[in-house]
Amino acid sequence: MKTSEKKDGVLQAVEGILDHYLETNKHRKTPERYAILRAVYAIEGHFTLDELGVKLSEEYKFPVSRATLYNTLNLFMELRLVIRHRFQGTTKYEACYADNSHCHQICTMCGKVTEVRSPELAEAINQMHLKRFRKDGFTLYIYGICSTCQATLTRQKNSKKLNKEKE
C-alpha cells in the first residue's frame, strides 16, 4: 500500500470517528472541524496551536480563531484522535490515530524532541498486568542531552582546559 493510500485510509477513519461522534451527540458538522482535522493529519510529527493556525490560513486558505483551534483540539483529544504533550514549557500536539504508544527523547539543553521506536519497550508495557485497569497506549519521555549539545559541551570543556593550560 502506498503512503498516500495509507494516509487517505487514516483520514477516512478519523473523519468517520468524528462523524459518528457529532451525529450521536447531535452536534453540528462544521467545515472548521473537518478542515482542522485534515490539517492535523497532514502534519508530520508535533505541532503547536500557532503552527496549526498558520497551516490552515496559508495552505488551506481557511483561517480560524485561536479559540476554535483550542476547542476543536480538545474535542479531538477526547475522541483520542490527537494527543497533547508538554515538552519543557511548550505545549505541542500530535495526531495519534492507530499510534497510541510511542517514546520521545527530549534534549534538556536545546529542547529538541525526537520520536523513538522501541518494539521491545512496547512489548514489555503490553505484557504488564495492571490491576483493575485496561491499557490503551502509552507515551514515554526520556530526558537527556542530544549528540549536538553533547559535542558543544565537550568543545567548551576542552576550550576551558586549553585556556587554563596556557595561563
Side-chain angles (χ1 to χ4, degrees), residues 59-106:
E59 289 182 36
Y60 288 72
K61 307 297 183 219
F62 202 107
V64 294
S65 72
R66 189 170 177 81
T68 298
L69 285 176
Y70 183 78
N71 292 332
T72 303
L73 286 177
N74 280 337
L75 169 64
F76 294 168
M77 285 187 295
E78 190 179 314
L79 296 174
R80 301 189 53 119
L81 301 175
V82 169
I83 189 168
R84 178 177 50 212
H85 301 284
R86 291 205 173 88
F87 298 129
Q88 294 189 302
T90 303
T91 300
K92 295 214 173 190
Y93 299 86
E94 175 179 29
C96 67
Y97 177 77
D99 187 20
N100 288 337
S101 302
H102 58 281
C103 308
H104 300 90
Q105 58 187 28
I106 304 165

Side-chain angles (χ1 to χ4, degrees), residues 77-147:
M77 285 187 295
E78 190 179 314
L79 296 174
R80 301 189 53 119
L81 301 175
V82 169
I83 189 168
R84 178 177 50 212
H85 301 284
R86 291 205 173 88
F87 298 129
Q88 294 189 302
T90 303
T91 300
K92 295 214 173 190
Y93 299 86
E94 175 179 29
C96 67
Y97 177 77
D99 187 20
N100 288 337
S101 302
H102 58 281
C103 308
H104 300 90
Q105 58 187 28
I106 304 165
C107 179
T108 54
M109 289 190 66
C110 68
K112 180 180 176 184
V113 178
T114 309
E115 295 269 337
V116 177
R117 298 288 175 201
S118 176
E120 303 87 2
L121 185 59
E123 184 58 28
I125 291 173
N126 286 334
Q127 296 301 319
M128 286 176 61
H129 296 286
L130 302 171
K131 289 185 177 185
R132 302 173 60 135
F133 188 80
R134 181 180 61 97
K135 298 181 297 278
D136 289 333
F138 70 89
T139 300
L140 176 67
Y141 302 108
I142 303 167
Y143 295 94
I145 301 173
C146 71
S147 59

